[in-house]
């Protein structure tokens, strides 16, 4: 009897099928309702599809049916962590469109509010990032302790902690008192000590370094080609900050540097924000020293006693942008001479920065995707609009 030859097909017992998993449509690190559609090979990420739109509120269409002044409080609801920065960008766009001047004192107040907002954003993002890493709520509580001090200032000056609605065309809603300025000085004086304490706990922490270094690397050429802005761009080593490029408002008067990262990983995105807070403190110290008495709103152009709320800018178009804590926040306006904008469009940094999420996540593990998303620092009110 002939021997039978049995052929066994070569198989790799480690071969597995890919698995599609939905993360969301809600996760605490997103500050809103967001979903990630992730395809996994084991625990390794093969592809990521961001799914958004759950918080869409028709922001731009609503603005095109309101007067220019009535749009201002709606900008608060974009990045609702940073309403002062939102107000700033929209005010610049309308002022450029209508050729409205801003008094010097109002310029100083605007810069002070904008840099306090940067402190609020960055310290909160770092706290949330550490929470995503599994550090429980301790870093968040440290961060929110400092955040609350600044929000108290916002409430005293604007009447609201988060939805400030403080900026006006040609200035701000109300002046800041000497007591307000003194309280801001106290916060600014103590903030470096807090950052030293924060860094002592975090920056050289072995677990943070191991989890964040070489994770979610964003190459500088990809960052530029994808129009990434803000700390995410600068963490990749690209020296671009609108405060330096445009020198809008009175930023040319202040001495500060632009911190840059080396690798563009999660760790660099963490550390660049730490360094940016130190630079914001320098700007605040200079602004508090340089502010002088004067008009807080232009008396001939934007006083509600002299300029109707439904004023009609001349026919034309304008684009105003600021270096918000998350990147370039821009407003594009087209006027047809009526009290309402004919076209109103927002360039939101959260939306643009999210476009590289898949590039950052592919090849990493599931747990890494959470901290990569946290390091991008999106907020759904601004992303979806």
């Amino acid at each position: 009897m002939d021997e039978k030859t049995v052929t066994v097909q070569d198989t790799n017992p480690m071969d597995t099928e890919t698995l599609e998993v939905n993360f969301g449509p809600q996760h605490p690190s997103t500050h809103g309702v967001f979903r990630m559609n992730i395809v996994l090979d084991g625990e390794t990420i093969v592809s990521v599809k961001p799914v958004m739109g759950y918080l869409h509120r028709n922001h731009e269409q609503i603005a095109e049916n309101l007067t220019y002044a009535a749009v201002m409080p709606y900008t608060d609801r974009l990045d609702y962590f940073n309403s002062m920065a939102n107000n700033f960008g929209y005010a610049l766009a309308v002022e450029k469109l209508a050729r409205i001047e801003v008094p010097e004192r109002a310029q100083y107040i605007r810069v002070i509010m904008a840099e306090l907002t940067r402190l609020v954003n960055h310290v909160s993002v770092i706290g949330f990032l550490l929470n995503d890493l599994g550090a429980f709520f301790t870093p968040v509580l440290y961060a929110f302790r400092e955040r609350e001090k600044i929000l108290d200032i916002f409430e005293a000056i604007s009447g609201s902690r988060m939805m400030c609605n403080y900026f006006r065309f040609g200035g701000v809603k109300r002046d800041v008192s000497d007591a307000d300025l003194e309280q801001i000085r106290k916060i600014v004086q103590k903030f470096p000590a807090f950052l030293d304490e924060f860094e002592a706990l975090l920056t050289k922490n072995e677990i943070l370094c191991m989890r964040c270094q070489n994770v979610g690397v964003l190459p500088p050429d990809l960052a530029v080609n994808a129009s990434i802005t803000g700390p995410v761009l600068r963490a990749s080593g690209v020296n671009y900050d609108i405060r330096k490029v445009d020198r809008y408002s009175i930023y040319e008067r202040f001495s500060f540097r632009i911190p840059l990262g080396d690798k563009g990983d999660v760790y660099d995105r963490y550390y660049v924000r730490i360094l940016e807070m130190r630079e914001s403190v320098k700007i605040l110290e200079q602004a508090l020293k340089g502010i002088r008495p004067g008009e807080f709103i232009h008396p001939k152009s934007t006083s509600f006693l002299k300029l109707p709320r439904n004023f009609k800018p001349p026919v034309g178009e304008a684009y105003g942008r600021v270096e918000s804590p998350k990147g370039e926040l821009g407003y594009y306006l087209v006027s047809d001479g009526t009290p309402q904008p004919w076209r109103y469009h927002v360039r939101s940094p959260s939306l643009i920065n999210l476009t590289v999420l898949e590039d950052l996540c592919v090849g990493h593990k599931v747990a890494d995707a959470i901290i990569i998303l946290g390091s991008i620092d999106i907020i759904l009110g601004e992303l979806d609009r």
Side-chain angles (χ1 to χ4, degrees):
M1 186 174 179
D2 296 335
E3 293 182 356
K4 295 182 179 179
T5 302
V6 179
T7 303
V8 179
Q9 186 177 2
D10 292 334
T11 59
N12 185 350
M14 298 304 292
D15 285 344
T16 59
E17 294 182 358
T18 58
L19 178 66
E20 187 173 327
V21 180
N22 279 317
F23 280 77
Q26 187 167 358
H27 189 278
S29 71
T30 65
H31 311 297
V33 186
F34 174 71
R35 177 160 64 97
M36 287 191 296
N37 188 311
I38 300 180
V39 178
L40 301 171
D41 182 3
E43 286 194 21
T44 303
I45 297 171
V46 176
S47 71
V48 177
K49 178 185 177 183
V51 183
M52 59 203 77
Y54 296 99
L55 205 62
H56 181 60
R57 292 153 296 159
N58 210 22
H59 174 88
E60 293 176 358
Q61 188 67 43
I62 290 173
E64 291 170 7
N65 289 274
L66 296 173
T67 63
Y68 286 88
V71 175
M72 185 65 77
Y74 281 82
T75 66
D76 291 338
R77 275 74 179 170
L78 289 168
D79 181 356
Y80 33 79
F81 255 60
N82 302 307
S83 68
M84 292 286 194
N86 304 343
N87 290 176
F88 204 166
Y90 178 61
L92 287 180
V94 175
E95 287 158 3
K96 186 182 294 185
L97 185 66
R99 300 177 183 85
I100 298 173
E101 297 181 0
V102 182
E104 184 178 85
R105 181 175 177 83
Q107 297 277 24
Y108 272 93
I109 294 172
R110 286 180 170 191
V111 168
I112 290 170
M113 295 301 114
E115 295 308 315
L116 287 174
T117 297
R118 203 175 312 277
L119 296 180
V120 166
N121 182 86
H122 286 359
V123 75
S124 301
V125 168
I126 291 171
F128 289 136
L129 178 63
L130 271 294
N131 192 31
D132 294 338
L133 280 167
F136 302 101
F137 275 87
T138 303
V140 175
L141 294 176
Y142 273 73
F144 270 50
R145 180 189 66 190
E146 303 305 311
R147 175 178 178 261
E148 288 300 307
K149 298 174 184 176
I150 299 176
L151 294 189
D152 287 344
I153 290 292
F154 288 170
E155 185 176 17
I157 293 173
S158 72
S160 177
R161 289 161 49 84
M162 294 181 68
M163 308 302 168
C164 298
N165 186 25
Y166 180 58
F167 284 50
R168 293 293 183 268
F169 310 140
V172 292
K173 181 169 63 176
R174 61 179 293 269
D175 201 358
V176 293
S177 66
D178 292 339
D180 294 330
L181 291 174
E182 183 58 33
Q183 188 62 33
I184 295 172
R185 285 190 185 93
K186 291 180 180 178
I187 293 172
V188 172
Q189 289 170 358
K190 295 179 180 179
F191 208 85
F194 159 71
L195 289 176
D196 293 341
E197 178 186 34
F198 219 37
E199 280 208 71
L201 293 172
L202 303 177
T203 299
K204 294 184 180 180
N205 183 284
E206 292 182 6
I207 297 175
L208 185 143
C209 293
M210 183 173 59
R211 286 292 311 278
C212 295
Q213 289 179 347
N214 299 313
V215 174
V217 175
L218 177 62
D221 55 344
L222 175 59
V224 172
N225 290 335
S227 299
I228 307 302
T229 55
V232 179
L233 175 68
R234 293 187 285 275
S236 296
V238 181
N239 190 349
Y240 184 83
D241 188 306
I242 297 172
R243 293 173 296 177
K244 290 285 191 180
V245 174
D246 286 2
R247 297 187 176 186
Y248 62 91
S249 188
I250 54 170
Y251 273 105
E252 74 279 356
R253 302 187 185 185
F254 306 117
S255 174
F256 64 100
R257 68 184 186 92
I258 306 301
L260 302 177
D262 295 322
K263 297 181 180 178
D265 54 12
V266 171
Y267 185 85
D268 278 352
R269 291 193 280 277
Y270 149 77
Y271 196 53
V272 160
R273 290 185 174 99
I274 289 283
L275 296 178
E276 285 193 4
M277 285 191 283
R278 294 191 182 277
E279 297 305 309
S280 290
V281 168
K282 293 179 183 178
I283 295 173
L284 285 165
E285 289 173 345
Q286 295 172 69
L288 289 167
K289 185 177 180 180
I291 190 170
R292 296 289 183 267
E295 297 284 351
F296 65 91
I297 193 166
H298 200 289
K300 295 183 179 179
S301 62
T302 53
S303 169
F304 286 134
L305 298 176
K306 298 183 180 181
L307 179 70
R309 297 194 183 195
N310 60 344
F311 81 103
K312 302 175 183 179
V315 175
E317 61 181 356
Y319 180 68
R321 63 177 187 168
V322 294
E323 184 67 41
S324 86
K326 292 177 171 58
E328 178 182 338
L329 174 62
Y331 294 85
Y332 174 67
L333 296 173
V334 178
S335 170
D336 59 357
T338 64
Q340 295 85 26
W342 184 84
R343 183 70 178 99
Y344 169 95
H345 176 67
V346 180
R347 192 270 188 205
S348 99
S350 291
L351 176 62
I352 305 299
N353 292 354
L354 187 66
T355 59
V356 294
L357 179 63
E358 183 172 45
D359 299 277
L360 302 184
C361 290
V362 169
H364 291 292
K365 304 301 182 184
V366 176
D368 296 329
I370 303 302
I371 63 171
I372 290 171
L373 177 64
S375 72
I376 295 175
D377 184 20
I378 65 170
I379 196 160
L380 271 295
E382 178 185 87
L383 191 151
D384 285 340
R385 300 193 298 283

